[in-house]
Structures are given as structure tokens and as C-alpha cells.
Amino acid sequence: MATSPPQQVDHHSLPPPVAEEPESLLSSLMAMENMLKMINEIDQNSLGIMEEVEKCKESALERKKSLEEEKEKFQKAAYTVLDMLNSRE
């Protein structure tokens, strides 16, 4: 079976697109406007979420630092007690 070469489409020979009715255009524009509003709302919400995540990270790092300092104090106290017990013997 012989294959024919692919035909090229001449865009100038295509009929012009059918004009939509004004109501349809208005409806499409309103839908786009609503989508744009939703996109902006999503952007604002995601920005707020990202700020909260950053605050939580900072808070967690501060808490970690505080716990590490407390751990060091307890370790020093424990070593001091062990040294005292060892020096009695």
C-alpha cells in the first residue's frame, strides 16, 4: 500500500473562525475574570502559608537551640556529680 506524502495546510485557505455570539464572549470573559480572582486568592493564601512555615521553622530552630543548651547544662551537672563521687573513693 503506497502512502501519500503529508499534505501541507495552507492557513490562508482556511475559512475564518466563526464569530461567537456576544453572550458567549461575555460569559467566557466573566469565567476568565473569576478564574483570575481565584488565582490571585490562591497566590495570597500560598504566600501566607509560606510565611507561617518560615515562622514555624524559625521557632523550631530556636527551640532546638534552647534544648541543646539545656542538655549541655544537664551534662555538665552530671559530670560534676560523677567527678564528686569518683573523688570520694
Side-chain angles (χ1 to χ4, degrees), residues 13-76:
S13 66
L14 293 176
V18 178
E20 295 184 38
E21 293 185 22
E23 294 85 14
S24 178
L25 287 174
L26 182 60
S27 161
S28 294
L29 285 174
M30 289 174 66
M32 286 183 187
E33 183 180 10
N34 287 336
M35 284 190 280
L36 184 59
K37 286 179 184 178
M38 286 188 274
I39 290 170
N40 287 333
E41 186 178 338
I42 290 169
D43 285 345
Q44 289 175 349
N45 289 340
S46 66
L47 180 62
I49 291 169
M50 295 301 291
E51 288 173 354
E52 278 298 314
V53 166
E54 199 59 38
K55 287 178 187 176
C56 289
K57 281 182 185 179
E58 290 171 7
S59 175
L61 288 174
E62 288 174 15
R63 179 72 177 140
K64 179 182 176 185
K65 182 180 176 183
S66 173
L67 288 172
E68 286 175 350
E69 289 172 356
E70 198 172 329
K71 174 185 162 188
E72 287 177 15
K73 289 178 185 177
F74 278 110
Q75 284 179 336
K76 286 179 183 178

Side-chain angles (χ1 to χ4, degrees), residues 74-87:
F74 278 110
Q75 284 179 336
K76 286 179 183 178
Y79 285 129
T80 301
V81 170
L82 285 174
D83 286 342
M84 290 171 52
L85 292 174
N86 286 335
S87 65

